[in-house]
Amino acid sequence: MFIKWRALVFALLVLALAFAMVPTPTTSAQDGGSTTYVVQAGDNLYRISLRFNTTVAALVAANNITNPSVIYVGQVLVIPTGGGATAPAPTQPPSQPDSQPQPSGGTTTYVVVSGDNLSRIAQRFGSTVVAIAAANNIANPSLIYAGQVLTIPLGGSTPVPSGGGSSAPSGGGTGTNPPPVTSPGAGGGFELGGQTTGGLGAVGVMQSAGMSWVKTQVRWHRGDGAGSVSGIINDAHANGLRVLLTVVGFSGEMGDYEAYTNEFAAYLGQVAALGPDAVEVWNEPNLTREWPAGAVSGASYTRMLSKAYNAIKSANGNVMVISAAPAPTGFYGGCSGNGCDDLPFIQQMRAAGAASYMDCIGAHYNEGIISPDQRTGDPRGGHYTRYFYGMLDTYYNAFGGARKVCFTELGYLSPEGLGGLPGPFAWAQNTTAAQHAEWLGRAASLARTSGRVRLMVVWNVDFQGTEGDDPRGGYAIIRPDGSCPACGSLAAAVR
């Protein structure tokens, strides 16, 4: 009798959840009113505001949203409407099957509830993320929604990870990630650095700006040894700077993924033994420019990261390991093997256990045209990548506050002294050199006082002119006339 009553109570709870997830539109008057909307995969407040002819600010106010860049699938939003805007019909959840685990072998079904992800569901049923994704034709394993009915393959041939490892990625690599050789750290207070063209000709400018770190990108070909990196490390230390190496290979060499990532990790172990202060493992792996087409995923990257972390820490436990900063973008509208927006990419990383293999979350922010204090007001729209706080909140919260953020590139673009910008960067055409300087200093100050940022590397110190469509000289703190307007504001921010 107890078992029957428990089953009945469970069924009632599932039904209650289902009805709670179905929004009931309220009547909209022509001169104002409201309706409700269930957030779908790929939504953001800007897109929703366009759909309902309202504004991001109105949505934020109506729903008491503290971070406009963070909404979740299945969330029910109150939509202020007016001017005859017509709301789409609400999404109905599917019927509710029995969601209790069944004996191993065959399949069962399960109703997704708030807080679920495929990794947790796979562990609960003794299945795998890959098997569940395949059984349900899920293109993006990080996007499921409350009320969704999943077919769960039971007793599959792929074991559930144990001993601290995490599930294997799809689209590159097999097996489970290795247990971390040591727990992540990234202690210490906020520090400031800059990326240079490769040398330290501008070290005096960097020090006057309060910078204590220098970043250099290292390109690795299979078979390369680490000896050439020693000069970079020694020069930085000789000039009183700590050094961050962003090490990235070539996507065209990654055909045999497991062998490649083993070799790459071994190389990073050699680099770590030379004494750098931090290593960023790869660069913008959410783009096919840096990752093989058809295999882009946060889980695939995390497999590389897990091997790299263990190799680095085994060689030199003092090296800070930073995860690769994805390219900040909303271009793809989600994630596929041929490219990912940065938010679903880092969500996939978290689901694959990336937090166990990094001391700091890598991030890039380089498209701002308003003060970093502002959370709204960008004329291009409300996408979180437009805002300093949008990026900081999104990345920090994606890992539940478990890791600090390292901005391995943070810059503002000004055409002043360049004579104009390439077409793809015309959005920054009106930013002055004075604003460039002011906003960099303010970003450093906000990062330092937030308690959530370990490192901010200014993009960039001394690049000049343009390269193709890349106006890198417009980001430089050393302006075309040789002056450094940002040096004073940056130095004041870190004092």
Side-chain angles (χ1 to χ4, degrees):
M1 178 65 71
F2 175 75
I3 294 175
K4 291 181 178 179
W5 274 104
R6 185 170 62 180
L8 177 60
V9 169
F10 181 84
L12 290 173
L13 286 172
V14 171
L15 287 170
L17 175 64
F19 283 111
M21 294 303 298
V22 180
T24 304
T26 58
T27 302
S28 292
Q30 290 294 321
D31 58 349
S34 66
T35 186
T36 51
Y37 175 69
V38 178
V39 176
Q40 305 296 305
D43 276 343
N44 59 49
L45 289 187
Y46 177 65
R47 293 176 182 168
I48 295 170
S49 70
L50 292 177
R51 186 174 185 183
F52 286 90
N53 192 27
T54 185
T55 66
V56 171
L59 292 174
V60 167
N63 294 274
N64 296 315
I65 294 173
T66 57
N67 181 1
S69 68
V70 178
I71 58 176
Y72 55 88
V73 174
Q75 182 176 1
V76 180
L77 296 178
V78 175
I79 311 293
T81 58
T86 302
T91 302
Q92 299 288 338
S95 58
Q96 308 295 307
D98 180 5
S99 59
Q100 292 287 354
Q102 300 296 323
S104 61
T107 63
T108 187
T109 53
Y110 176 72
V111 179
V112 177
V113 299
S114 179
D116 272 342
N117 59 47
L118 287 190
S119 179
R120 293 175 185 168
I121 296 169
Q123 290 177 0
R124 179 177 181 183
F125 286 90
S127 187
T128 68
V129 171
V130 173
I132 296 174
N136 295 273
N137 295 316
I138 295 174
N140 181 359
S142 70
L143 293 179
I144 58 175
Y145 57 90
Q148 184 176 2
V149 179
L150 297 178
T151 298
I152 310 294
L154 302 172
S157 58
T158 305
V160 176
S162 59
S166 56
S167 58
S170 58
T174 58
T176 59
N177 295 332
V181 296
T182 187
S183 298
F190 171 80
E191 292 180 281
L192 182 68
Q195 182 166 350
T196 69
T197 54
L200 289 175
V203 64
V205 173
M206 296 175 69
Q207 291 170 339
S208 73
M211 295 179 180
S212 55
W213 285 75
V214 60
K215 172 191 167 182
T216 298
Q217 186 176 99
V218 176
R219 280 284 182 178
W220 175 74
H221 279 290
R222 296 184 83 165
D224 287 351
S228 61
V229 178
S230 61
I232 300 172
I233 298 169
N234 294 337
D235 286 350
H237 289 167
N239 282 279
L241 296 173
R242 305 181 77 184
V243 59
L244 162 63
L245 300 177
T246 296
V247 185
V248 57
F250 294 87
S251 61
E253 298 180 357
M254 293 176 67
D256 50 343
Y257 182 86
E258 289 299 320
Y260 180 89
T261 51
N262 289 339
E263 292 176 33
F264 182 67
Y267 171 76
L268 290 181
Q270 297 171 21
V271 170
L274 297 173
D277 300 282
V279 170
E280 182 180 16
V281 182
W282 213 263
N283 175 67
E284 298 188 344
N286 60 322
L287 303 181
T288 53
R289 182 184 68 224
E290 302 284 18
W291 204 261
V296 175
S297 80
S300 178
Y301 167 71
T302 298
R303 181 145 182 80
M304 170 188 280
L305 178 65
S306 69
K307 297 179 181 183
Y309 176 88
N310 281 352
I312 293 168
K313 293 294 187 179
S314 295
N316 186 345
N318 294 320
V319 176
M320 179 165 61
V321 177
I322 304 174
S323 63
T329 180
F331 173 80
Y332 298 98
C335 194
S336 73
N338 291 313
C340 286
D341 294 343
D342 55 321
L343 177 55
F345 188 87
I346 59 176
Q347 289 172 334
Q348 289 177 351
M349 286 175 56
R350 178 181 178 177
S356 297
Y357 307 106
M358 61 181 180
D359 299 309
C360 199
I361 310 161
H364 288 172
Y365 174 63
N366 47 30
E367 60 177 270
I369 57 172
I370 57 175
S371 167
D373 292 277
Q374 293 184 232
R375 293 178 179 269
T376 61
D378 190 300
R380 297 166 295 174
H383 197 262
Y384 66 90
T385 60
R386 314 293 197 200
Y387 303 91
F388 168 80
Y389 273 121
M391 289 294 293
L392 176 57
D393 293 347
T394 297
Y395 278 61
Y396 185 78
N397 293 338
F399 286 88
R403 299 289 178 270
K404 287 186 177 182
V405 175
C406 284
F407 283 105
T408 56
E409 286 184 14
L410 190 149
Y412 289 91
L413 174 60
S414 170
E416 195 166 318
L418 293 181
L421 295 173
F425 293 87
W427 45 265
Q429 190 62 45
N430 296 321
T431 300
T432 66
Q435 289 173 321
H436 170 271
E438 176 190 350
W439 295 345
L440 279 174
R442 189 60 185 147
S445 179
L446 295 173
R448 179 179 63 83
T449 58
S450 73
R452 297 181 288 166
V453 179
R454 174 66 180 84
L455 178 64
M456 174 180 145
V457 175
V458 174
W459 167 255
N460 61 71
V461 174
D462 57 350
F463 285 75
Q464 297 180 357
T466 62
E467 182 175 304
D469 280 341
D470 183 0
R472 50 185 55 192
Y475 283 97
I477 61 171
I478 300 178
R479 303 305 299 172
D481 63 1
S483 66
C484 182
C487 284
S489 61
L490 286 168
V494 297
R495 277 200 293 265

